[in-house]
Every structure is written in structure tokens, then in C-alpha cells.
Amino acid sequence: MSVKEIFDTMDYGTAPESAAEALRWLVDGGDRFGLFIGGKMTEPGAVFEAKNPATGEVLAHLTQATEADVDAAVAAARKAQSKWAKDSKARAKVLYALTRLVQKHARLFAVLETLDNGKPIRESRDIDVALVARHFYYHAGMAQLMDEELPGREALGVCGQIIPWNFPLLMLAWKVAPAIAMGNTVVLKPAEYTSLTALLFAQICQEAGVPKGVVNIVTGDGAVGEMIVTHPGVDKIAFTGSTTVGRRIREATAGSGKSLTLELGGKSPYIVFEDADIDSAVEGLVDAIFFNQGQVCCAGSRLLVQEGIAEDFHARLVARMANLRIGNPLDKSIDVGAIVDPVQLQRIESLVAKGGSEGTVHQPVKAPEGCFYPPTLVSGLESSSLLMQEEIFGPVLVSTTFRTPAEAVQVANNTRYGLAASVWTENVNLALDIAPKLVAGVVWINGSNMFDAAAGFGGVRESGFGREGGWEGLMAYTKPAGKASPVKPAKAHVKPDDVEVLGLDRTAKLYIGGKQARPDGGYSQAIYSPKGKLLGHSSIASRKDIRNAVEAAQGAKGWAKATAHNRAQVLYFVGENLSARADEFATRIRDLTGTTEAKAQAEVTESIDTLFTYAAWCDKLDGAAKPVPMRGVALAMNEPVGVIGAFCDDRPLAGLIEVIAPAIAMGNRVIAVASEAYPLAATDFYQVLDTSDVPAGVVNILTGLHGELAKTMAGHMDVEAVWSFSSAEISAVIEKESAGNLKRTWVNNGMARAYPARDWLAQATEVKTIWVPYGE
């Protein structure tokens, strides 16, 4: 194109980026790469091809790791871990060195990423690589501060990390940086399609002086990931990828004792109110859905636009789409690059062909031949339409309308996912009213795709659990220091030959929805003292009682909206009323367990202190304004998890209070299953609740067999988290059944330890990051 033609058409000229240096790097590696284990590259084994999705050209041959290779990588990581964990200041220096080397090799990383993945070079160069450097820089600081700011916490050990193909290098940084900063070592498997930048990263690990075995990289297909997930030498799994695979990982790790974080799929709403700056919202939407060809888990793929501006908005959007340039990803003037692989392209085409007929399909610009798909809008859909519910993972935007803010929230939350959301309005009051109501881990106001290492990122529901980035992200890579001890189960006292009956027969009922309730199954069990006295009967709950308790808890959602000050007052009141009956509860504990009067009194005192402690925490657990590098603020807000099912340990009263107090302090509702052996102290406690202004349904207390209730509790779709400190062997069951809706779990795996208050509070909250840019 001549200069005159450019001026006549006002069209972009081409601006191709040279791939020479990246191709030279591949040639220098012999176009055949081994694995990075124990600080060095292995000889290539059986190989598979790495291709450029834009051209189909074979870039290199990569090694398919074997089980022996994974064993070697885990062994190298284990060998290096204890020494690496000893000196946080030394770790900081290594992370700083990695940061500088990422910056020094920035263009090589960017070009190699685009060749391997198909994303536009502008995105690789200006977004991905810059964020990679930012993550290592930020976490170098975290390593420097760990001893002072995270006292009493230590590394988990060896971390298995499995990353996707949409952001190969950035996902590596999100996983590796916090893990090694906290003293862990890693075995990382990049995606089969996109492993080249991980291998370049292995090279800079050598140049930065990363000790041998701290970072290990094994390439291959999903079978390699499965080997890492199930390897007994791995202490933690971090996975980013599809919800389907995430569910399988949850099931595979159940009962293994492995820590697990999952960052999974999404179907994020992009909500445009009628007072929004329409042109800005259209431009933001282009970034939200066509960035990286829509192959983004948090892509704004569901457009919700208010009816009054819908026609105008769609017209402007289609006009803007018509000006998008799709083609050679190495051309710096290109907006939309190649789909990562023909398999993914076929999936996109199939979904649009299947569901597009429910609306109107707009494709104003054609895609070139090859692995490309045109920017697409499907308008006029219903909230229940196939394309409104299914994650497409391509440059396909689906659209519907709403009338009122309340309807916008309802439609936005009508999905099984909960990763991100965008809200566009010039009314800051409306924006800050809507944001907390959206079921999402991240909410962007008048923006999209804002990320930073200082701000936590992650989802809820079937978008996974755990956070990456910020202080909250470090919880996933640390644990309380010290060793846990095996749980010592308590056994109910058996019926003696001669039963001594004390006073009038008394059957303790269940406590559901603020009322005493008979067990649905109609069964009870006798509870005896160590000396054979019949203390009473406790109800045996069934799955229907769990159903009723969940229904009651879901009906008490107003508790989450109560102010922290009000929740604190209620907890203080509970503590006061328990204190007034301290002697009575101490006697009950002594009769149930046979312990001494002093120990029984100590347990009651501990329970009262726990209530007062979490009453104090109600209005003290601060959110944070994250120092992100932009004209704006990222607010990390603590929100309740929702309905928490909890299996108590065998302390008759303290085990019950320990799970109830932090849960309701943070605005959750709880279904507590009392100690199997000593349930009567828990059933006495509901009398305290009745006199303490606790709203009906906020606390529900069941008694019965933990082993029979665990599966139902963990599998219930309206329970958002399950905790277990039970002496029964139910951890594996809970984790496996939780895969149904990917609820959070916190289980003891047969080991007991004392957790600090911060750990309880972290388990009782979700961190929602709300991004609020400011300025004209």
C-alpha cells in the first residue's frame, strides 16, 4: 500500500514484527526440547509437535514426559525444598533477578508467545510480558516481607501446577511467583499446545541462579497433568483450565491431603446501563470479548444492555466490529489473531451453529483462511439460551436485554459460573450498589480485563476457589507452622448392664430454622455417662433433615446484609447468655466425658472467649485498597461464603462454638453437626441461641452419625462450603462429593491442629475485588 493510498483510505498499513530472533532461539535448541528437571534440560524423549496456529507451521518438537520423568521432577523439587524455604531474603533476590531477566528478554518472550499461541503481538508485548514482570517483581517483595508480615506461616512443600494455553507465560508467572516466594518448589506442566515460553523461562531460571530443583518444567498432554495430580510426593495442586477438568481434579485429590486451588471457566456478564458512556462501553466491550480471540476465562461474553439503549448500542457495536482487523498475529496492526488449535476452532463453530439460531448472528468482518474465527455477536437471546449458558471460549459475544437494575442482577447471576463481571454506568452510586450483588470474584466498573499482582483474582461457584495475587493469594501457598497431630476419636459410652435413669426422660431434638424439630427419620440414640447413667436421648438426623436445614439457612440470607456491628452485638449476647449458664454447661461436659471439673470449666471458658473473639472480629476484618498501578483503586472486599456445613470435633461445647462463631461473625449461615459421641451439650446450646436474638436459620444444629451425613451435606448444591474437624473418616467423602458444584472444603484428613483466628476468618469469607477507575 502506497502513502497516497493510506491517506485516501485512512486504513492501517501493515506493521509486521520480525520473528527471526525467536526462530533462531528455536534452531539453537535444535528444534527438539527435553524437560527442565533439577536445574538442567534433559535429552529429548518421545516428542510431539508445537505448531504456529496462524500458519500451521511446525515450530519445534517437545518431549512427552513419562511417569519416570514426573517422578524425577518431584524428587528434585522435594530435595531442594527445605533449603529453599530457609531464607526468605535470599528468595527475594532470586525473584528480583527473574524479573530483570524477563524484562531483558521481553521481546523474545512476546514473539515466541505469539508464534506459539496465535494472539496478536501487541497483546503479548504490551500486556502479557509486562504483567509477568510485574508478578515476579511483586512477589519478590512478598518474599522479602514474609518473615515480618506472615509470622507463624510456612511453605506447603512441593507444588504441582498445571496451566492453560490461553495465557501460557502469564499463567506460569501467576503460579510460580507466589509459590517460590513463599518457599515452595514447583513442578509445572504447561499446556500441550503452548509450551515454548515455559521452556524459555527454564533458561532464564538458570541465568537467574534459581537453585536446582526449585523450578521443574515437564511438557506433554493431559496424562502428564494427571500424573502430577495423583503423585504422592506433591503437597499442593494449582490448576487453571476448564471446569470439567477441575471437577475431575477435585475428585482425584479427594482424601489425599493435598491443598487445592482451581481457577476455572466463566460466562461473565457485561452490564450496560442506559446512562453509560456508550462509545466507551463499546470500546470496553471490544477489549472484554475480542481480547486474545475471546479465549479468556473472564471474558465479558454475556452482554446485558438496558432496553432503552439496546438498539443504538448494538448498532454502534456492529459498526465497531466491522473495523476490527483479523489476520497475521505478528502484524502489530492486527486486533484479532488465530484460534489456538483447529480443535478449538471446531468447538466454536459447532456451538454457534447449534445455538445461533435462537438469536440473530452478526459477523461484519470475515476471517481469513486457516485457524481463524470472525468476531461474532449473537443478539436477541433469552437468558436460558444455550449460548447464554455455555462457555464458548472464542470471539463470540451473546446478548440480551434488561429493564431494571434488579433484573440486571438477576440475569447476570443466572449462571453456574462466578468469575468476573463488568458494570458500565456514569452513576457511581448505582455501580457500587450493583457490584456487591453480583456473584463474581472480580467486578470491573467502567472497564474490563484489569489485572495486577497486588489484586486477588479468582472465582466462586463453578469458576473454582482460591485467589491468585495479593496477600490473599499467599494463603494458597502457606500453612500454619508446626506439625498437626492425629485425631483421637472419642467413643460414646456403651449401655451398662444396669441403667441408672436420672430424672424425667428427655429427648433432645434437632434445631432447624430457629425451632426444635423432631428427626425426619424418627430415630434417637441413648447417651450414657462413663459411669452408666442415662443422660438423655439425642436425635439421629437424616438426609431429609439436612435438606430442611439447608432450606432454613438459605431463607436466612438477610443475615449477610446485617451490619458487622449488629452481628457483633448478637455474638456478644450469645457469649453473655452462655456465661450465665457456665456452671450448667460445665456439669453437662463433665457428665458426658468423665473429665474433671476444672477441665470442664476450662472448655466453657474457652467457648465464651471464642464467641467474644469473633464478636470482636465482626467489624475488624478489613478489606483493602490495593496499590495497583493505575488511576483507580482495586477494593478487596470480604464477603460471606454463604451456607457452611460443618462437622464438629469431639469437644462437646468448644468444638461446636469454634465452627459457629467465625462462620456467623462473617455473615454466613451454618449447619453444624455436633460431636457424635457427646451431642447433648450442643442441644443444650440451642436454648442459648433462642434467648440471644440469633435470627431463625442462621444457626442450625444437627446430631447423628457423621459418616452417614457427610455425603449428603457435601453433595448438596445449595451448600457453599463444608468444614470437617470430625474424628470420623469423612474427609475423602466430603472432598469427592463437593466436586458436584465445586464448593469450598476445609477438612482435617484425620489430623488435628489449632488454627489462628485469621485462618478461620479466611475460610469464612470470599474476597471480591472491585476495580474502580477514576478520572475523565
Side-chain angles (χ1 to χ4, degrees):
M1 182 180 292
S2 68
V3 173
K4 181 180 184 302
E5 289 172 328
I6 291 173
F7 274 105
D8 287 342
T9 64
M10 294 303 292
D11 201 359
Y12 289 105
T14 59
E17 173 79 33
S18 172
E21 288 297 322
L23 295 175
R24 188 175 298 115
W25 181 82
L26 293 170
V27 171
D28 289 345
D31 292 335
R32 294 173 68 87
F33 292 86
L35 313 172
F36 186 64
I37 297 175
K40 63 182 181 181
M41 297 298 296
T42 67
E43 289 297 318
V47 295
F48 60 95
E49 294 177 339
K51 293 183 179 181
N52 180 340
T55 64
E57 173 191 3
V58 175
L59 296 170
H61 295 84
L62 309 181
T63 296
Q64 170 70 31
T66 65
E67 188 170 357
D69 293 325
V70 173
D71 288 343
V74 173
R78 179 65 63 195
K79 182 179 179 181
Q81 196 272 321
S82 59
K83 184 177 180 181
W84 176 246
K86 285 181 180 179
D87 190 343
S88 63
K89 306 295 192 294
R91 296 199 300 273
K93 291 181 175 66
V94 171
L95 269 84
Y96 280 126
L98 282 170
T99 304
R100 291 192 294 272
L101 284 165
V102 167
Q103 292 170 326
K104 290 176 183 178
H105 295 298
R107 189 55 65 97
L108 176 58
F109 271 118
V111 174
L112 193 60
E113 190 84 319
T114 289
L115 285 172
D116 202 23
N117 169 272
K119 65 176 61 184
I121 184 64
R122 290 186 300 109
E123 295 177 6
S124 299
R125 179 195 66 198
D126 299 340
I127 299 173
D128 292 22
V129 176
L131 276 173
V132 168
R134 168 68 176 152
H135 272 268
F136 280 103
Y137 183 87
Y138 179 85
H139 285 97
M142 287 298 200
Q144 185 77 19
L145 299 175
M146 181 179 179
D147 293 343
E148 293 81 7
E149 296 299 320
L150 294 172
R153 298 198 74 80
E154 64 183 14
L156 293 172
V158 175
C159 299
Q161 302 181 322
I162 303 166
I163 59 175
W165 43 258
N166 56 342
F167 292 93
L169 185 62
L170 182 55
M171 290 296 101
L172 178 150
W174 279 26
K175 297 287 189 289
V176 171
I180 66 175
M182 294 296 100
N184 302 281
T185 53
V186 304
V187 177
L188 179 132
K189 191 200 90 67
E192 181 182 5
Y193 294 153
T194 54
S195 300
L196 295 181
T197 47
L199 296 173
L200 176 56
F201 179 77
Q203 175 184 308
I204 74 164
C205 284
Q206 294 172 317
E207 296 173 7
V210 177
K212 296 177 180 179
V214 170
V215 174
N216 304 272
I217 297 172
V218 292
T219 55
D221 59 16
V224 180
E226 187 174 351
M227 294 173 199
I228 294 173
V229 166
T230 58
H231 199 289
V234 172
D235 302 298
K236 185 233 169 26
I237 297 295
F239 172 76
T240 296
S242 73
T243 296
T244 300
V245 176
R247 186 174 284 112
R248 286 165 51 195
I249 290 174
R250 171 71 285 179
E251 292 172 346
T253 57
S256 66
K258 289 181 172 70
S259 176
L260 177 64
T261 49
L262 300 172
E263 197 268 280
L264 307 175
K267 194 71 177 175
S268 300
Y270 190 98
I271 307 169
V272 183
F273 287 95
E274 59 190 3
D275 68 338
D277 179 332
I278 295 181
D279 289 333
S280 294
V282 167
E283 202 61 35
L285 185 53
V286 168
D287 177 58
I289 183 58
F290 302 128
F291 172 61
N292 198 24
Q293 298 72 252
Q295 298 169 139
V296 184
C297 53
C298 57
S301 56
R302 280 191 301 148
L303 171 61
L304 281 56
V305 59
Q306 200 157 13
E307 276 190 0
I309 61 167
E311 184 176 350
D312 182 24
F313 189 91
H314 285 127
R316 295 197 208 187
L317 174 60
V318 172
R320 178 66 181 89
M321 289 167 60
N323 289 321
L324 292 174
R325 293 175 62 118
I326 178 170
N328 176 15
L330 281 173
D331 184 343
K332 291 186 281 288
S333 68
I334 286 298
D335 300 302
V336 181
I339 302 300
V340 72
D341 189 85
V343 171
Q344 180 64 16
L345 177 62
Q346 290 167 13
R347 182 179 187 275
I348 297 167
E349 291 172 338
S350 173
L351 279 170
V352 174
K354 186 177 181 180
S357 59
E358 296 183 65
T360 303
V361 178
H362 308 267
Q363 292 180 332
V365 61
K366 293 188 179 299
E369 292 295 321
C371 203
F372 295 89
Y373 194 82
T376 300
L377 166 67
V378 185
S379 61
L381 294 174
E382 300 294 333
S383 183
S384 59
S385 298
L386 171 70
L387 297 184
M388 289 291 288
Q389 293 295 323
E390 289 298 319
E391 184 180 31
I392 302 169
F393 222 65
V396 180
L397 175 68
V398 296
S399 176
T400 191
T401 60
F402 65 90
R403 293 183 178 86
T404 65
E407 185 183 0
V409 171
Q410 182 182 29
V411 175
N413 292 339
N414 183 20
T415 173
R416 63 184 185 274
Y417 298 109
L419 189 53
S422 291
V423 178
W424 286 79
T425 173
E426 292 295 283
N427 183 343
V428 68
N429 293 319
L430 177 61
L432 295 179
D433 176 58
I434 294 296
K437 297 175 181 177
L438 298 174
V439 181
V442 179
V443 179
W444 296 300
I445 294 175
N446 293 335
S448 60
N449 288 336
M450 289 180 274
F451 309 103
D452 187 65
F457 180 87
V460 295
R461 291 181 174 171
E462 292 191 22
S463 290
F465 47 79
R467 293 293 180 267
E468 295 181 301
W471 290 101
E472 55 269 36
L474 301 183
M475 292 294 291
Y477 288 102
T478 58
K479 64 182 179 181
K483 293 184 177 180
S485 57
V487 172
K488 296 179 180 178
K491 293 186 178 180
H493 303 295
V494 299
K495 178 181 178 181
D497 293 333
D498 296 316
V499 176
E500 181 180 351
V501 179
L502 299 178
L504 188 66
D505 174 65
R506 180 177 165 197
T507 299
K509 299 181 180 67
L510 309 175
Y511 188 66
I512 298 174
K515 299 177 181 178
Q516 298 181 40
R518 296 184 183 278
D520 186 85
Y523 289 95
S524 298
Q525 61 179 342
I527 305 297
Y528 297 95
S529 76
K531 296 181 179 180
K533 296 179 180 178
L534 179 62
L535 302 177
H537 292 78
S538 70
S539 298
I540 300 177
S542 67
R543 62 182 179 85
K544 290 186 178 180
D545 297 308
I546 288 180
R547 178 199 65 189
N548 294 338
V550 172
E551 185 177 327
Q554 288 289 354
K557 290 181 179 179
W559 180 246
K561 298 178 182 178
T563 67
H565 173 68
N566 286 345
R567 294 198 303 268
Q569 287 181 297
V570 170
L571 274 164
Y572 279 126
F573 198 13
V574 175
E576 289 172 6
N577 286 335
L578 178 59
S579 180
R581 298 177 59 179
D583 290 342
E584 176 189 339
F585 275 91
T587 298
R588 174 67 91 182
I589 292 168
R590 188 189 61 206
D591 289 345
L592 284 166
T593 64
T595 191
T596 64
E597 178 69 25
K599 289 183 178 179
Q601 288 283 357
E603 182 172 335
V604 177
T605 300
E606 177 189 355
S607 300
I608 295 168
D609 287 345
T610 298
L611 288 163
F612 274 65
T613 294
Y614 289 105
W617 270 114
C618 281
D619 53 5
K620 310 297 189 307
L621 187 65
D622 298 333
K626 300 292 185 172
V628 293
M630 61 174 281
R631 294 198 71 235
V633 62
L635 302 173
M637 311 293 287
N638 293 308
E639 295 187 338
V641 173
V643 174
I644 298 175
F647 293 87
C648 304
D649 65 30
D650 283 321
R651 292 171 297 162
L653 181 63
L656 177 78
I657 301 301
E658 192 171 51
V659 299
I660 288 176
I664 68 172
M666 293 298 103
N668 300 285
R669 293 88 70 203
V670 64
I671 302 162
V673 184
S675 164
E676 260 190 50
Y678 312 129
L680 295 183
T683 56
D684 291 344
F685 183 70
Y686 61 57
Q687 299 167 12
V688 175
L689 296 174
D690 279 339
T691 59
S692 302
D693 294 341
V694 178
V698 170
V699 177
N700 304 273
I701 298 174
L702 306 182
T703 54
L705 304 177
H706 291 191
E708 294 186 4
L709 298 175
K711 183 175 181 179
T712 301
M713 183 80 82
H716 201 295
M717 300 298 281
D718 284 334
V719 173
E720 280 83 21
V722 178
W723 300 348
S724 176
F725 308 97
S726 173
S727 58
E729 295 181 1
I730 58 175
S731 295
V733 170
I734 288 172
E735 290 185 328
K736 185 174 182 180
E737 293 300 320
S738 72
N741 67 345
L742 289 166
K743 60 174 63 67
R744 289 172 59 173
T745 60
W746 190 25
V747 298
N748 62 3
N749 290 297
M751 305 296 287
R753 70 159 74 238
Y755 290 97
R758 286 279 186 177
D759 283 57
W760 287 96
L761 295 168
Q763 293 291 339
T765 54
E766 294 282 9
V767 177
K768 175 182 282 184
T769 305
I770 302 176
W771 292 74
V772 188
Y774 50 73
E776 290 295 327

